[in-house]
Amino acid sequence: MLKHMGKILVPLVLLQFIVGCESEDTDNLKLEIESLKQEMSQLSKAVGKIEGDIEEVKELALKPPKKQPKTLPNQPNFTENGNLPILGSSEAKIAIVEFSDFQCPYCKRYTDNAFKQIKENYIDTGKVQYVARDFPLNFHPQAKPAAIAAMCSFKQGAYWPMRDMMFGNIKQLSEEFFQTAATDLSLNMEQFSNCLKDKAVAEKVEKDLALGKSLGVRGTPSFLIGRVENNQLVEPRIVVGAQRYPVFESLLNELAKEKK
């Protein structure tokens, strides 16, 4: 009489043995085979459930539950009377204020991906006005000099082209790069060089940094997104990180519905 010895490997071996040999006690063998088949079926179902549980855990880890962005107090005069780099129509009823670092790879990722779609679908169509502010992180040595150089380009109407050049070359940022980029943009080099030394421009960058910290910004890129009413950003929500375009699209569409 064959003995029942295991639940996973032994049944397979036993079945192979039976296929190759025949026992005199055929009825008993048939019962044993049926019993083993049932156990293997139950084991297969148990393994399948475990695999399903593992996949569910992996999915939760890769796609954590969405959290509602934190809402901040209203931000009056959020464009500082137009003295900040701005894209889009001043009549747009939704605004995005970006806090960015020119040496941050995540800011570059956002600029290369989500920003392009936001610009095409919302900024260029007059639905959103976009404001750029600086948040140079202290462990990026070229971030603050880059922010100053960008503001000096802004004073000559070339902020956004300079921004594109900087994010396209975040590993080459240096005094020499800023001078070369300004030359390529046909800026007045005397004015540009003097501006780089202007303490007021450096103070503006520090002011942006202080404002961001007061609002809870801790890393870059970070965004304030809200409705525009009477030259103030109403109950802006803060979005952190190089989020994908659908995250911005969902929030912007939601704000558009609220406006209506």
Side-chain angles (χ1 to χ4, degrees):
M1 181 69 182
L2 294 174
K3 294 183 179 180
H4 182 193
M5 298 175 61
K7 293 182 180 292
I8 299 176
L9 295 178
V10 173
L12 297 177
V13 174
L14 182 59
L15 287 174
Q16 290 174 351
F17 175 76
I18 295 172
V19 168
C21 306
E22 292 186 6
S23 170
E24 293 180 359
D25 195 349
T26 304
D27 292 338
N28 287 337
L29 281 175
K30 286 182 179 180
L31 291 174
E32 186 74 13
I33 291 172
E34 289 301 320
S35 176
L36 290 173
K37 283 182 178 180
Q38 291 178 8
E39 291 183 8
M40 290 178 68
S41 176
Q42 292 173 358
L43 179 61
S44 178
K45 291 178 181 179
V47 171
K49 185 178 185 304
I50 292 172
E51 289 177 345
D53 292 342
I54 291 173
E55 288 302 317
E56 184 176 353
V57 171
K58 287 168 67 177
E59 184 175 355
L60 288 173
L62 294 173
K63 297 180 180 179
K66 293 181 179 179
K67 296 181 180 179
Q68 283 293 334
K70 180 181 177 181
T71 300
L72 300 175
N74 294 357
Q75 300 298 306
N77 194 18
F78 67 98
T79 67
E80 295 192 5
N81 298 318
N83 291 316
L84 297 173
I86 303 173
L87 280 178
S89 171
S90 60
E91 300 299 317
K93 298 304 181 183
I94 298 174
I96 299 175
V97 179
E98 175 191 357
F99 287 86
S100 193
D101 174 317
F102 285 106
Q103 208 175 353
C104 167
Y106 299 101
C107 297
K108 172 177 170 54
R109 180 191 299 174
Y110 161 77
T111 302
D112 290 345
N113 295 286
F115 175 73
K116 290 183 177 180
Q117 292 178 278
I118 293 172
K119 184 175 184 299
E120 178 181 352
N121 297 326
Y122 292 95
I123 299 172
D124 293 347
T125 57
K127 298 176 183 177
V128 167
Q129 48 184 305
Y130 197 95
V131 182
R133 305 202 77 140
D134 296 303
F135 200 84
L137 301 168
N138 57 15
F139 54 85
H140 288 155
Q142 290 299 326
K144 185 176 179 179
I148 292 172
M151 282 308 300
C152 290
S153 301
F154 170 69
K155 290 180 177 296
Q156 296 192 46
Y159 174 85
W160 297 100
M162 178 65 85
R163 169 189 166 104
D164 289 343
M165 294 177 74
M166 287 182 178
F167 277 128
N169 299 274
I170 63 172
K171 294 183 179 180
Q172 283 75 47
L173 298 181
S174 65
E175 178 68 27
E176 181 180 358
F177 175 85
F178 305 144
Q179 294 287 342
T180 300
T183 301
D184 291 344
L185 292 172
S186 301
L187 302 187
N188 182 309
M189 294 309 297
E190 182 179 359
Q191 291 182 20
F192 182 77
S193 296
N194 289 337
C195 180
L196 293 179
K197 304 170 187 176
D198 189 343
K199 291 183 179 179
V201 178
E203 288 172 359
K204 181 272 172 190
V205 174
E206 289 296 334
K207 180 181 176 182
D208 278 8
L209 187 62
L211 173 63
K213 289 180 178 179
S214 73
L215 295 173
V217 174
R218 296 293 179 267
T220 55
S222 289
F223 310 87
L224 306 185
I225 305 177
R227 292 178 291 107
V228 179
E229 293 180 6
N230 301 320
N231 197 31
Q232 65 176 346
L233 195 60
V234 178
E235 297 182 346
R237 303 174 197 182
I238 184 166
V239 175
V240 180
Q243 302 290 340
R244 295 181 178 180
Y245 172 72
V247 174
F248 294 95
E249 180 184 40
S250 176
L251 182 52
L252 292 172
N253 290 344
E254 181 182 336
L255 287 170
K257 290 179 182 179
E258 290 179 4
K259 176 174 67 72
K260 292 179 182 179

